[in-house]
Amino acid sequence: MSVAAVAADRSVCAPLPVLGRDVRVPLVTGGEVDYAALDYAASAPALQRVWDDVAAYAPYYGSVHRGAGYLSQLSTDLFENSRRTIAEFLGCRADDQVVFTRSTTDSLNLLAAALPQGTRVFVFETEHHASLLPWEQRADVAVTYLNAPRTPQQAVDTLEKALAEREPYGPALVCVTGASNVTGELWPVRELAAAAHAHGARIVLDAAQLVPHHPVDLAELDADWVAFSGHKLYAPFGAGVLAGRADWLQDAAPYLAGGGASRKVSRRTDGGVDIEWHTTAARHEAGSPNVIGAYAIASACQALTEAGFPALIAREQQLIDRLRAGLAEVPEVQVLSLFGADAARVGVLSFVVEGWNSSHFAAALSAEYGIGVRDGLFCAHPLVRTLLGTDPQDPGECGAPEAAPGERSLNAIRVSFGVGTPEEHVERFVTAVKELVAHGARWNYRTEDGRCVPDRA
């Protein structure tokens, strides 16, 4: 079937409509085309359902908690019901807490701040910076970085060995991704959780790339915490979630000090103040909360649940198979992988093209085909550098990132999609890759502020 025929066939439309699905963008070669958003791993477009729910609530917006007015009471109910909806979506246990944050990064920094003194954190070098770096902010916390595994079993074995050798024996935390934001590969979370608990450690799951594509059940995975961002889950407005065990969160100082986190504040006779902090999730939610952000996440959770993950996963796998089959027909394309071609994965894939700098290639996809992808190191620098360690790249090409003295310039291209992606977008992407490799770009490009852009002079 031709790309035109695929585009005309309404049966291939995405199962959940998203905002921006009808946006037209100009091409440097002339004319316009429907924008193909294939950068879901950075920020997924909002579901139309989420946008409609938020719009319906907006006239009733009011400050939450302690407000006597009708709109404040309604907003408080909405906010706390959203917490319960998300807890159910994540399979939270009865005594787990759902804390609203700004993002996955914020969630993991919150947990880092709550770690008991002397905790040792174990984290693979393959993590996104959001889960690789927060632990370094604590001078009283030790971090062990684990080398990139090449199979899921090697990941489990590496963790087992590191935990068994840790000294002194004390509180420990394992941080692991559920799905790589670079390769899309699924990690053996349940097995890693079992290894952690067998050695007296806890585990936090970075589910930023997993939760939009697969169900995440804390109880089933036996994970202690899960962190994710609303903007990966088809919900705008800058909200995130940290959900899981309450004890370390209750024992830690509030992440932010202020109204909402405090239950009671009173003056002392010596002139100071005594503070009684909340022990619920409110302890770490000081200030006026992002009610709309929380509600948007809950709406997205409901939409995905109602659509049914089995059907969504099956359709996404068809898109993954089509994408990989199409790229396999281009010898110049090298797909990046830790676990090999047969590894289970979500709709995220990174690659390099022989003879092209990745920034140049991504710019041509955008300017000449109306396709939005991402290029670079994807906030996972150690992982991408490991995967690209032997890949030739020309540091002098358009948009090539600056390299340190003695290093080559390294970057890759990432394509990612989800429930709002029509099949036509994947077909157009595969066609564009083949044409660019076979015939080259049809336009001239130049570097501007470190980016490769069309030369319109």
Side-chain angles (χ1 to χ4, degrees):
M1 181 181 291
S2 68
V3 172
V6 170
D9 183 358
R10 291 190 177 274
S11 68
V12 301
C13 291
L16 290 176
V18 294
L19 294 180
R21 61 189 180 276
D22 298 323
V23 168
R24 303 279 291 177
V25 295
L27 304 179
V28 293
T29 51
E32 293 183 341
V33 68
D34 287 342
Y35 182 64
L38 296 179
D39 193 17
Y40 277 47
S43 284
L47 292 178
Q48 184 68 56
R49 151 79 175 271
V50 171
W51 194 260
D52 291 343
D53 283 349
V54 168
Y57 160 65
Y60 302 93
Y61 173 80
S63 61
V64 303
H65 302 146
R66 301 172 302 282
Y70 177 80
L71 297 191
S72 289
Q73 294 180 41
L74 187 151
S75 294
T76 297
D77 288 344
L78 188 83
F79 185 64
E80 294 304 333
N81 284 335
S82 296
R83 198 189 305 274
R84 286 186 282 273
T85 296
I86 294 166
E88 182 178 353
F89 180 77
L90 295 173
C92 287
R93 297 147 298 215
D95 54 353
D96 283 339
Q97 289 186 350
V98 173
V99 181
F100 288 116
T101 66
R102 294 178 299 169
S103 60
T104 308
T105 301
D106 197 33
S107 295
L108 293 172
N109 273 271
L110 189 165
L111 184 60
L115 296 181
Q117 184 175 358
T119 298
R120 179 169 288 278
V121 177
F122 295 83
V123 57
F124 287 92
E125 67 172 347
T126 48
E127 293 292 310
H128 186 281
H129 293 172
S131 48
L132 188 72
L133 303 181
W135 328 106
E136 291 282 357
Q137 306 306 303
R138 288 280 301 272
D140 59 347
V141 166
V143 186
T144 297
Y145 295 103
L146 307 176
N147 293 334
R150 288 298 181 167
T151 66
Q153 185 58 51
Q154 189 179 66
V156 177
D157 294 342
T158 298
L159 179 62
E160 287 264 15
K161 184 175 185 294
L163 289 170
E165 293 175 349
R166 85 178 192 270
E167 292 182 0
Y169 193 88
L173 177 71
V174 176
C175 181
V176 67
T177 188
S180 171
N181 78 303
V182 176
T183 67
E185 293 165 319
L186 296 174
W187 278 62
V189 177
R190 188 179 292 103
E191 292 80 1
L192 290 167
H197 293 152
H199 291 277
R202 300 187 182 189
I203 187 168
V204 57
L205 170 64
D206 176 352
Q209 300 297 338
L210 181 62
V211 73
H213 304 274
H214 283 256
V216 172
D217 189 305
L218 269 172
E220 181 184 355
L221 294 172
D222 198 21
D224 297 282
W225 293 277
V226 60
F228 70 92
S229 297
H231 71 99
K232 312 287 191 188
L233 191 70
Y234 315 104
F237 308 113
V241 167
L242 175 67
R245 295 181 60 156
D247 53 352
W248 284 4
L249 299 177
Q250 291 175 343
D251 293 340
Y255 187 47
L256 296 174
S262 57
R263 185 196 303 271
K264 179 182 178 181
V265 180
S266 57
R267 288 293 300 273
R268 297 196 305 263
T269 57
D270 64 3
V273 295
D274 286 321
I275 309 168
E276 180 183 343
W277 301 106
H278 280 292
T279 57
T280 63
R283 184 183 188 88
H284 299 291
E285 293 178 346
S288 296
N290 183 354
V291 183
I292 288 180
Y295 181 45
I297 292 177
S299 173
C301 291
Q302 289 179 316
L304 292 172
T305 299
E306 292 169 6
F309 269 111
L312 296 177
I313 292 170
R315 179 183 182 274
E316 182 173 293
Q317 189 59 53
Q318 293 177 344
L319 296 182
I320 293 170
D321 292 344
R322 175 65 191 103
L323 172 64
R324 295 184 63 204
L327 294 181
E329 296 172 359
V330 187
E332 293 84 355
V333 169
Q334 178 188 346
V335 174
L336 305 184
S337 174
L338 273 175
F339 300 153
D342 296 331
R345 66 191 68 226
V346 299
V348 179
L349 183 146
S350 297
F351 64 97
V352 292
V353 183
E354 183 180 349
W356 285 80
N357 177 268
S358 295
S359 293
H360 189 189
F361 201 88
L365 286 172
S366 175
E368 300 178 27
Y369 295 91
I371 298 171
V373 297
R374 186 156 294 248
D375 65 276
L377 299 177
F378 318 124
C379 289
H381 293 187
L383 171 57
V384 180
R385 289 184 180 279
T386 294
L387 296 173
L388 293 180
T390 59
D391 296 326
Q393 297 256 314
D394 183 351
E397 287 194 27
C398 178
E402 293 185 3
E407 292 186 356
R408 291 179 296 105
S409 174
L410 298 176
N411 60 339
I413 305 153
R414 184 181 70 191
V415 54
S416 53
F417 45 85
V419 299
T421 305
E423 290 181 24
E424 185 273 328
H425 290 183
V426 174
E427 292 289 349
R428 195 197 316 170
F429 173 79
V430 170
T431 298
V433 169
K434 292 179 177 179
E435 289 183 358
L436 285 172
V437 171
H439 307 296
R442 291 172 286 173
W443 203 263
N444 293 324
Y445 296 81
R446 59 185 174 84
T447 301
E448 181 178 292
D449 296 329
R451 297 293 306 170
C452 189
V453 298
D455 189 348
R456 303 179 186 273

